Amino acid sequence: MSYENTESNSDSSLDKNPDESISKSTHEKQGVLYIVATPIGNLGDITQRALETLKMADRICAEDTRNTRKLLTHFGIQGDLQALHDHNERFKVEAVKNWLDAGEKIALVSDAGTPLISDPGYHLVSELGELGYNIEPIPGASAIITALSIAGLPTDRFTFEGFLPAKNVGRNKALLANLKEPRTQVYYESSHRIAVTIDAFFEIYGATRKVVLARELTKMYEQVYRGNVAGLQQWISESPMHQKGEFVLMVAGHIEETESDEINSSIEELLKILVDELPVKQAASLAAKITGRKKNELYKQAMDLRD
Ligand code: SAM
């Protein structure tokens, strides 16, 4: 691992190796578009480079200017704020291009976390990137990485699904498509839909899939639920407080059952039904006749099930 130039320097283009020019702009004299991450709750998580960049930027494009004004005021930064949100982004690309052509330094921020991650900025970055403009990341918090870092689910490979569709049909279709996904799955969810989303997981993924729900990360009422879908459904309905705030839902990947796992779980299902209706000895004896398994093994299993 190596760190480069840990001294504060907001003009990070000075830190770059001149040979690393593959993705560098063909518009060397132009300004720079900085993609600046901001905290996801705790203002103490702002980075030094984010503050320096926001201070020196000629303009700051923000998803919600009132919200960003509060952030800037907290850190004593003035900032020329420009609205850039889902509804005006395509139209705003032209204006940002002109500012960059005039050599300006432009910062893009969203309401919280990293821009473009379930937030505006995709059209801007993709269009300006293709045209060869200078675009530099100022990394920081993002709810997905923050949540994964404490989930304890496999993180060597994972999928990010963002928000599920709002309507039942679309949501169920998306979940069905992901049901057999072997990687950890990460979803964003809001307070309005967290309960119905968990109900949908119960319906499609079943009760026992392992899940971790991270609520209000880095904020005063941060909570993390670890368990399975049925337990989470119960936890969410226990208190209206559990449904408030912002959520990252992480679901363990599907584990393919081997043929023998499947046979064993079918035998266990059969035994459960028989044990519910019959004395243990009779249940084991019947199960042995049906499955061809040894009676004494099934008897032991039936005793465990009954207990
Ligand atoms: N750009 C942001 C990022 O980098 O994480 C995400 C913006 S997206 C519009 C907002 C969603 O992110 C919330 O509905 C929630 O799912 C998740 N989120 C943001 N902040 C969070 C927090 N403090 N705790 C849990 N989830 C959070």
Side-chain angles (χ1 to χ4, degrees), residues 40 112 114 117-119 142-143 163 188-189 217 219 246-248:
I40 56 166
T114 302
I117 307 301
S118 293
D119 266 338
S142 188
F163 291 95
Y188 277 173
E189 198 46 279
L217 285 164
K219 302 186 201 175
E246 300 188 284
F247 301 89
V248 182

Side-chain angles (χ1 to χ4, degrees), residues 54-55 57-60 69 72 76-82:
L54 294 173
K55 253 183 227 157
D58 296 300
R59 291 170 215 265
I60 300 170
R69 177 64 67 205
L72 295 182
I77 299 170
Q78 281 277 307
D80 176 353
L81 284 171
Q82 304 284 331

